[in-house]
Amino acid sequence: MAVLEQSTSQKAIDLENKYGAHNYHPLPVVLGRGEGVHVWDVEGKKYYDFLSAYSAVNQGHCHPKIVNALIEQSKTLALTSRAFHNDMLGKYEKYVCEYFGFEKMLPMNTGAEAVETALKICRKWAYEVKGIENKQAQIIVCENNFHGRTTTIISFSNDPVARKHFGPFTDGFIKIEYNNLDALEATLKNNLNVAGFLVEPIQGEAGVYVPSDDYLIKAKALCEKYNVLFIADEVQTGIARTGRLLATCGNCSCPDKNCSGIPDVKPDILILGKALSGGAYPVSAVLANDSVMNVIKPGNHGSTFGGNPVAAAVAMAALEVVREENLAENAEELGQLFRSELNNYIETSSIAKLVRGKGLLNAVVINDDEESDTAWNICLALRDNGLLAKPTHGNIIRFAPPLVMTKEQLMECVDIIIKTLKTFEK
Ligand SMILES: *Cc1c(COP(=O)(O)O)cnc(C)c1O
């Protein structure tokens, strides 16, 4: 008797389990293709992608304009290192600076590298401009932050799983409660050695925590008062995800109509990654004005791949798509629709507690304790119903589709989500 053929999916999962380090716990689905808001598994089943690779694929999977930029530049010149100039980097730097309204940028590859870069710039500024005594600089961070996975970055994480047995850790960080201006002011007042305040405009990984409306603007004002750099990690919130070009964005030079009336919270240091490439290539960047960025001199910092011609071409195409396709406006409009539809349902739901978010960065909190596997089981059921999402922390499910979604598609997804949640009602 013939042995049952293992599915293609199961084979792929088995290979990862056998040969790959077990540093993730993926939802059991094996994807082989993506286009726009959709992905397909290796058996050919089609899904709506409601994670967008943690908001890297804001422009949609395999966007033709971005893919074309990647292919064409790869065929022309892919890597020179920064030992020589290349004819794309300056163009790219000018484009990004004008796009976001800064005087200078420093190109890197991943989000964590860009955060590391921002921390190094901030410390150097503290010693060479602010005049803090050598090795005394402190950087304020927030509880439940997520800024990446390097040794220094996990030094100021409070996720025990991310930290255990990875010490000794890097000194020089003070952790305060998120969305607490009193804590920020008290820390600034009591410590003359503070160089910077590193903050996510919305805490994505922690479960899409949106701070109060005046938090960022008042935090920025406090930083100014105490001569401390306001460092915004917009790796996840940036590039149209939250309904405007940046979550800290007010009346900057961005093309977003929704900006009017929202006060400008311009960071001293802006950190970008993820959707800077539309997911086609690892591209990150740190932006600042000259008074800050000029502390960096030859030899201080770098990366072999940072600012390579392919990254430059891909990022410019990815940012053009955001503008051409009005992705910020679309995220704002669809986000409001998503939350209002889910709120209608939640009013009478015993399984969904609340929906929160901005633009198309949203989360639904499941009515069960944090250790339960209800949110995971809901994500498995969503998968079976053709929609891929993942719990962030315990009982919180993040919903962040590509921003190229149409209203009709969003309504279909709302139906799938509500239909699925209904099967879990107690
Ligand atoms: C994803 C993320 C990072 C880290 O980016 P990587 O490219 O995974 O290193 C940093 N900060 C925030 C807010 C993120 O969401």
Side-chain angles (χ1 to χ4, degrees):
M1 210 165 69
V3 181
L4 257 185
E5 261 290 307
Q6 255 195 333
S7 74
T8 316
S9 281
Q10 194 54 53
K11 277 185 199 153
I13 291 171
D14 291 346
L15 279 175
E16 282 193 30
N17 276 336
K18 183 156 167 34
Y19 294 105
H22 294 181
N23 58 328
Y24 278 89
H25 180 44
L27 204 75
V29 60
V30 179
L31 303 174
R33 185 162 81 84
E35 189 185 324
V37 298
H38 291 113
V39 284
W40 286 260
D41 71 17
V42 285
E43 279 82 25
K45 182 175 159 79
K46 182 178 174 180
Y47 305 87
Y48 280 108
D49 178 4
F50 261 66
L51 185 65
S52 307
Y54 300 101
S55 296
V57 193
N58 288 1
Q59 297 87 336
H61 288 276
C62 301
H63 193 292
K65 178 168 180 150
I66 302 173
V67 170
N68 192 50
L70 175 74
I71 292 170
E72 288 307 314
Q73 189 60 47
S74 303
K75 289 197 286 197
T76 311
L77 180 66
L79 185 64
T80 59
S81 85
R82 298 286 302 277
F84 311 119
H85 295 280
N86 70 65
D87 65 352
M88 292 297 290
L89 180 58
K91 259 193 270 185
Y92 167 48
E93 289 170 331
K94 176 174 190 282
Y95 185 89
V96 169
C97 284
E98 288 174 0
Y99 198 96
F100 293 100
F102 285 84
E103 289 170 355
K104 281 203 168 41
M105 70 96 95
L106 197 160
M108 296 297 280
N109 312 286
T110 66
E113 281 179 326
V115 172
E116 287 276 352
T117 303
L119 297 172
K120 287 175 75 176
I121 294 170
C122 180
R123 283 180 168 183
K124 213 160 177 51
W125 173 88
Y127 302 124
E128 296 177 7
V129 178
K130 182 165 174 172
I132 291 176
E133 198 187 319
N134 194 28
K135 297 188 181 172
Q136 298 303 307
Q138 301 285 319
I139 294 174
I140 302 175
V141 298
C142 293
E143 281 165 13
N144 301 323
N145 67 72
F146 182 84
H147 297 288
R149 299 297 199 164
T150 66
T151 315
T152 287
I153 291 171
I154 61 162
S155 296
F156 54 83
S157 160
N158 57 303
D159 176 352
V161 180
R163 283 168 56 90
K164 191 181 174 189
H165 291 164
F166 290 125
F169 297 114
T170 309
D171 282 339
F173 299 96
I174 303 171
K175 211 176 297 152
I176 63 168
E177 195 183 13
Y178 187 64
N179 197 22
N180 185 335
L181 291 162
D182 293 337
L184 178 59
E185 174 135 45
T187 310
L188 290 166
K189 209 183 266 176
N190 293 330
N191 195 327
L192 297 177
N193 291 328
V194 176
F197 174 50
L198 171 65
V199 66
E200 297 159 85
I202 292 172
Q203 286 192 325
E205 293 309 300
V208 190
Y209 283 102
V210 182
S212 41
D213 284 345
D214 61 353
Y215 177 60
L216 295 172
I217 189 126
K218 289 194 171 152
K220 171 73 202 297
L222 283 171
C223 287
E224 268 172 35
K225 181 173 162 192
Y226 290 92
N227 192 26
V228 156
L229 299 182
F230 182 89
I231 308 168
D233 180 348
E234 293 238 29
V235 170
Q236 186 160 157
T237 53
I239 318 197
R241 172 53 59 187
T242 66
R244 42 188 78 96
L245 183 59
L246 298 172
T248 50
C249 170
N251 42 33
C252 61
S253 59
C254 84
D256 176 4
K257 295 188 227 61
N258 297 307
C259 269
S260 56
I262 298 150
D264 199 1
V265 189
K266 186 162 175 168
D268 299 300
I269 302 181
L270 171 66
I271 305 167
L272 297 174
K274 293 194 169 118
L276 185 54
S277 70
Y281 202 76
V283 185
S284 68
V286 174
L287 286 86
N289 282 343
D290 284 335
S291 59
V292 172
M293 195 66 97
N294 284 346
V295 299
I296 295 296
K297 302 280 190 308
N300 287 162
H301 191 57
S303 156
T304 302
F305 283 84
N308 73 72
V310 175
V314 164
M316 283 191 282
L319 290 172
E320 267 171 30
V321 167
V322 170
R323 243 180 214 171
E324 285 166 0
E325 303 187 17
N326 297 313
L327 296 188
E329 289 85 343
N330 198 48
E332 175 68 19
E333 195 183 323
L334 294 194
Q336 287 185 15
L337 184 62
F338 182 82
R339 287 185 299 279
S340 92
E341 291 291 325
L342 274 145
N343 269 322
N344 279 343
Y345 165 67
I346 286 169
E347 267 178 37
T348 59
S349 169
S350 64
I351 191 68
K353 236 192 323 208
L354 63 94
V355 57
R356 64 173 172 238
K358 256 192 181 168
L360 282 175
L361 181 58
N362 294 292
V364 169
V365 181
I366 298 304
N367 189 15
D368 208 336
D369 52 70
E370 283 221 16
E371 285 71 41
S372 83
D373 51 8
T374 311
W376 176 264
N377 290 332
I378 291 171
C379 288
L380 290 177
L382 285 168
R383 176 201 62 182
D384 296 340
N385 292 332
L387 187 147
L388 297 178
K390 186 117 195 271
T392 54
H393 267 89
N395 58 346
I396 303 167
I397 303 174
R398 171 174 31 204
F399 290 103
L403 310 182
V404 293
M405 186 163 268
T406 66
K407 210 183 217 168
E408 292 68 37
Q409 289 170 329
L410 185 87
M411 289 311 292
E412 193 187 330
C413 294
V414 165
D415 280 348
I416 295 173
I417 292 166
I418 292 176
K419 184 181 86 186
T420 307
L421 286 171
K422 275 185 177 161
T423 65
F424 285 82
E425 293 289 353
K426 291 166 191 166

